Amino acid sequence: MTMAAPSRSATSADGAEGADGARESGGPGGPDATRSAAEGNANVRTSASPADASSPPASTPSPPSSGRNAKRFILAIAAIAALGGALFGYDTGVVSGALPYMERHFGLTSLGEGVITSALLIGAAFGSLAGGRMSDLLGRRNSLLWAGAVFIGGALAVALAPTVPFMVVARFALGLAVGSASVITPLYLSEIAPPHIRGRLVSFNSLMIVSGQLLAYLINAVLAQWEAWRWMLGLAALPAVALFTGLFFLPDTPRWYISKGRTEQAARVLRRTLPADEVEGELSRINQARALEAEAQRGAWQELRTPWVRRILLIGVGLAIVQQITGVNAVIYFAPKILQSTGLGTNAAITATIAVGAISVIATAIGMSLIDKVGRRPMLLTGLSGMAVSLALLGASFHLPKSTGVSCLVLALMVLYMGFMQATLNTGVWLLLAEMFPLKVRGLAMGAAVFVMWLVNFTVALVFPVLLDAVGAGVTFWVFGLMCVLSLLFCKRYAPETKGMALEDLEHELRKAAEGTEA
């Protein structure tokens, strides 16, 4: 489904900015992060009037924030809240280094490796569903506090696990925190950030996720010489303690305060992030955005009966599946195991995995800088083509005689594949999911797509080690390469182009294109 993107006007920029605040890369993010998009839409659809907002009582004025103080306050928020993203990345990446030693300690079969790895992912699927509801009831900050507490307890539990069943349950509980953080962290950042830096601040969380994975690979490499796999897992408790402690010094978001009728507290936070003369206008815009969203949510389930909306939902779910069936998390979770199969020693394989984490960080930064210039569809199609070629060559390399040179070749091809994946498909899919759904079903549809994404992630992690033993690494990566080709055909046929379009214009174009296809 191809559409020409009109040039962005001054009025449409604000609408698209809300979508920027919903971005997430590297892994599953939060469906409720798209609520910032609705807030951005309100800037386009309505004209804010200070008289519409409840003015804070004059008896408890807060001093206006200077530019320097506001910047410090926002940086503190980003540094503390984004620890949730770093923990997300660390806890999903650290298992790659711990697994070879856990296999020996517990006598794991391939199925056992898959179960331990995927237990966190099924927990994350349900955690992502619960995260949005919990943040509405308890607040964004308090929900992150609960997630931080579970991160601490879960990290210690997996590090001290005496048996495989205990380990599986502990990783499932840790997954609940990972899934919740994937929703609440970008939501918190997008709602508390000033509009002009919202996209960058939420994208910083995405960068923290892949940085957390890189940190996990570095720690794995250091501790591998002592086979200290329990320390690898348990060290996640340290940033979790920092997150839990730091959140006591942060406020909740103005949007949540207003939803609970606490306008003065909302104004107090806004005075610390905005010039004084913009506070009342922002309060009014938040109120209007919430009214639009409440109206939209009331008709969400009924709207799904509309054929063109169902079609867009199915395309979104398809994109979520594409992101996972092309093999990215098989590489993230099992990179040392893959390298060991080429004859590389355990410690060397764990150390070599650092290259995978490093390219993920670099490629994510590159993708974030290109996505608004190149467009979504070209990024997806280019990335899937590069991934398919990389996986075809990777599969072929496993049919060469084992040697140090072949190990280096396999590592280089894995790095090439991850570069294409993180810079294009990962960035593009998350942004499309934040932009493409109509307002009335945006939260519901995004939640469904992210839930499916976690379930497919779980399935890949469970099946990959079994498939690796059954048919070998070569055939396994050729299967992933075939999935890239099929995904390329799907994206070429169905993925929309959303570059440069205000969300209202985009919804109109998607509806027109979908109804034209059905006709």
Side-chain angles (χ1 to χ4, degrees):
M1 183 161 42
T2 307
M3 298 172 291
S7 60
R8 185 186 297 261
S9 66
T11 55
S12 68
D14 288 337
E17 182 180 43
D20 292 343
R23 294 180 191 174
E24 172 148 328
S25 138
D32 289 332
T34 54
R35 293 180 184 173
S36 61
E39 186 176 323
N41 289 348
N43 298 341
V44 180
R45 294 179 179 174
T46 57
S47 174
S49 169
D52 294 336
S54 301
S55 299
S59 58
T60 56
S62 296
S65 178
S66 69
R68 183 175 298 176
N69 288 340
K71 186 175 181 180
R72 275 201 291 258
F73 179 61
I74 293 165
L75 286 175
I77 289 171
I80 294 171
L83 283 171
L87 282 163
F88 176 172
Y90 187 94
D91 284 315
T92 53
V94 71
V95 72
S96 67
L99 206 55
Y101 304 112
M102 291 165 62
E103 181 182 1
R104 298 176 198 168
H105 182 85
F106 292 119
L108 296 175
T109 63
S110 295
L111 180 60
E113 292 178 47
V115 169
I116 285 178
T117 303
S118 60
L120 182 141
L121 306 174
I122 194 67
F126 289 101
S128 67
L129 285 180
R133 296 290 184 188
M134 182 169 64
S135 69
D136 284 340
L137 293 173
L138 303 180
R140 287 43 164 154
R141 189 200 71 139
N142 288 339
S143 297
L144 273 178
L145 274 171
W146 278 105
V150 176
F151 269 125
I152 296 169
L156 295 176
V158 296
L160 299 173
T163 64
V164 171
F166 189 99
M167 174 70 75
V168 170
V169 172
R171 279 184 58 80
F172 175 84
L174 192 57
L176 294 174
V178 168
S180 296
S182 73
V183 171
I184 302 166
T185 302
L187 176 61
Y188 181 86
L189 290 172
S190 66
E191 288 188 358
I192 207 164
H196 66 284
I197 62 167
R198 183 178 295 134
R200 278 175 287 165
L201 202 60
V202 178
S203 295
F204 175 66
N205 177 64
S206 304
L207 198 60
M208 287 294 286
I209 293 173
V210 289
S211 298
Q213 291 172 344
L214 175 59
L215 177 64
Y217 296 150
L218 289 168
I219 289 176
N220 287 347
V222 171
L223 296 179
Q225 57 186 314
W226 297 290
E227 299 188 8
W229 62 271
R230 292 188 184 273
W231 282 96
M232 295 176 188
L233 298 170
L235 283 175
L238 295 181
V241 169
L243 172 66
F244 185 79
T245 304
L247 283 167
F248 282 102
F249 299 95
L250 299 185
D252 216 309
T253 70
R255 199 176 191 282
W256 186 77
Y257 283 135
I258 286 177
S259 74
K260 301 302 179 184
R262 295 155 67 173
T263 306
E264 168 55 26
Q265 287 170 286
R268 194 175 298 138
V269 176
L270 289 172
R271 290 190 195 105
R272 300 187 68 183
T273 60
L274 294 173
D277 58 352
E278 296 180 14
V279 171
E280 289 192 3
E282 187 64 18
L283 285 171
S284 177
R285 280 190 287 273
I286 293 172
N287 269 316
Q288 292 163 351
R290 283 195 55 77
L292 284 172
E293 186 180 283
E295 180 184 349
Q297 287 175 345
R298 282 195 293 270
W301 286 104
Q302 186 174 1
E303 193 74 9
L304 285 177
R305 299 177 184 173
T306 308
W308 78 271
V309 175
R310 282 202 306 268
R311 186 174 187 273
I312 295 298
L313 174 59
L314 290 174
I315 292 172
V317 170
L319 289 171
I321 293 171
V322 161
Q323 193 202 43
Q324 295 300 317
I325 62 170
T326 47
V328 58
N329 285 312
V331 174
I332 290 173
Y333 304 145
F334 299 104
K337 184 178 178 72
I338 295 166
L339 291 170
Q340 280 180 283
S341 69
T342 67
L344 208 60
T346 300
N347 289 6
I350 292 173
T351 302
T353 305
I354 294 172
V356 175
I359 195 62
S360 293
V361 173
I362 295 168
T364 298
I366 292 172
M368 286 162 49
S369 67
L370 291 178
I371 191 72
D372 281 326
K373 299 174 184 176
V374 176
R376 287 52 160 162
R377 278 176 57 87
M379 293 277 279
L380 293 182
L381 300 181
T382 301
L384 285 165
S385 300
M387 290 162 62
V389 172
S390 302
L391 288 169
L393 294 174
L394 186 57
S397 67
F398 283 96
H399 292 83
L400 299 173
K402 292 182 180 180
S403 67
T404 303
V406 170
S407 297
C408 293
L409 175 62
V410 168
L411 177 62
L413 290 170
M414 286 168 58
V415 167
L416 180 63
Y417 162 80
M418 288 297 292
F420 277 114
M421 168 66 196
Q422 297 286 18
T424 60
L425 188 66
N426 197 38
T427 305
V429 166
W430 277 110
L431 183 52
L432 279 172
L433 292 180
E435 294 176 327
M436 64 185 288
F437 298 121
L439 175 63
K440 284 193 174 183
V441 298
R442 187 164 295 147
L444 183 63
M446 181 83 172
V450 172
F451 182 68
V452 170
M453 188 184 291
W454 277 114
L455 289 182
V456 178
N457 189 349
F458 161 78
T459 304
V460 170
L462 181 64
V463 170
F464 179 76
V466 178
L467 193 61
L468 205 63
D469 282 355
V471 300
V475 174
T476 300
F477 283 109
W478 281 340
V479 170
F480 283 132
L482 176 60
M483 293 299 103
C484 286
V485 173
L486 296 176
S487 298
L488 176 64
L489 297 175
F490 174 84
C491 290
K492 187 174 182 179
R493 175 69 180 85
Y494 295 110
E497 179 55 78
T498 60
K499 174 190 171 186
M501 299 182 71
L503 295 181
E504 295 84 359
D505 296 336
L506 175 59
E507 183 171 331
H508 173 72
E509 291 295 327
L510 286 173
R511 177 172 185 164
K512 188 168 66 174
E515 289 178 343
T517 302
E518 289 161 8

